[in-house]
Amino acid sequence: MDEVQVVVAHSERATLRVGDVFLKVEADRARMDVEVEAMALAPVPTPRILWRKPPVLALAAVPGTALGRLGEPSTASPAAWAAAGAAVRKLHDAPLPARPGRAGRRVDELTADLDSECELLVANGVLPAALVTRNRQVAEAALRPWTPVFTHGDLQIAHVFVDDDEITGIIDWSEAGRGDALYDLATLTLGHEEHLGDVVAGYGPDVDLDVIRAWWSLRSLLGVRWLIEHGFDPSAPGCEVDVLRSRM
């Protein structure tokens, strides 16, 4: 009998694995709608939908293994990382979806949230003021006009699966929609700066590396308190706090 494996669980959603089936329990019906629509539109490999009975979505497991995990060395080859970059380019070149995604927040809203979050991080003693100030300076480069593309919105390496240096599936599309291409590339390479060149080799040369680095700082600053509040540890080796420290 297959065991039930808890893949991720917090107050917003939970994902369970039973054999080759993933069961996603989603508190927000709209996010499930986004995921189903995005997987139907995306020109890259995605999980097969087995059935849908809100708040549960059942998906078939994709073959292969994850490109890596935040905080752990990636065992994937440079060719696999380049293949991930090529897949992201294919997604970004696809027709725009109707909805804005997580990567598509307006610059003024994002700036206001970032400044508020930085104040809270310092006021509550979560991070040293010098670390926050420096990374807020670095993050400024990401706060600029951008042309919307079809973005995944949560393209962390654990969501990209490879086999024999080929992309076999990209999972977790609930944050997909129109957004900033460099947000996706920054999320994919967060904590794995050593593979940024491989990703760009597959994606194409028209990439502003300073903006990707700015997104590393911005995403980490915005994520630290949320992660702590939801039972995760952003201070674990190689994770968000280390990403922030690397900018000093």
Side-chain angles (χ1 to χ4, degrees), residues 46-61:
T46 62
R48 179 167 57 93
I49 297 175
L50 301 176
W51 49 265
R52 180 188 184 192
K53 296 180 180 178
V56 182
L57 177 66
L59 301 168

Side-chain angles (χ1 to χ4, degrees), residues 32-220:
M32 184 180 292
D33 293 340
V34 167
E35 179 151 20
V36 170
E37 291 174 11
M39 287 192 294
L41 294 171
V44 296
T46 62
R48 179 167 57 93
I49 297 175
L50 301 176
W51 49 265
R52 180 188 184 192
K53 296 180 180 178
V56 182
L57 177 66
L59 301 168
V62 298
T65 57
L67 194 61
R69 303 278 176 186
L70 183 63
E72 301 176 7
S74 172
T75 59
S77 69
W81 282 87
V88 178
R89 167 65 84 177
K90 190 173 183 180
L91 175 67
H92 290 172
D93 286 344
L96 288 172
R99 307 170 189 252
R102 183 179 183 181
R105 299 180 60 194
R106 295 203 327 259
V107 172
D108 58 340
E109 292 179 351
L110 192 59
T111 302
D113 284 353
L114 178 60
D115 288 341
S116 175
E117 192 64 27
C118 287
E119 290 179 10
L120 289 170
L121 288 169
V122 174
N124 294 332
V126 179
L127 293 175
L131 185 65
V132 172
T133 298
R134 170 56 182 157
N135 279 275
R136 176 60 183 86
Q137 293 169 346
V138 174
E140 185 67 25
L143 302 172
R144 85 286 176 222
W146 42 267
T147 301
V149 300
F150 189 163
T151 54
H152 179 280
D154 192 17
L155 198 64
Q156 52 186 292
I157 54 174
H159 293 164
V160 180
F161 283 72
V162 297
D163 187 25
D164 289 335
D165 297 337
E166 294 185 3
I167 303 302
T168 56
I170 299 177
I171 66 172
D172 286 354
W173 292 81
S174 61
E175 307 287 354
R178 302 190 307 272
D180 180 357
L182 298 190
Y183 179 94
D184 269 355
L185 293 177
T187 304
L188 179 64
T189 54
L190 182 74
H192 288 274
E193 185 171 0
E194 71 277 11
H195 290 294
L196 177 58
D198 300 324
V199 169
V200 172
Y203 185 85
D206 54 332
V207 173
D208 190 328
L209 299 182
D210 288 338
V211 173
I212 289 180
R213 296 185 180 100
W215 269 120
W216 290 339
S217 290
L218 202 162
R219 180 182 167 92
S220 297

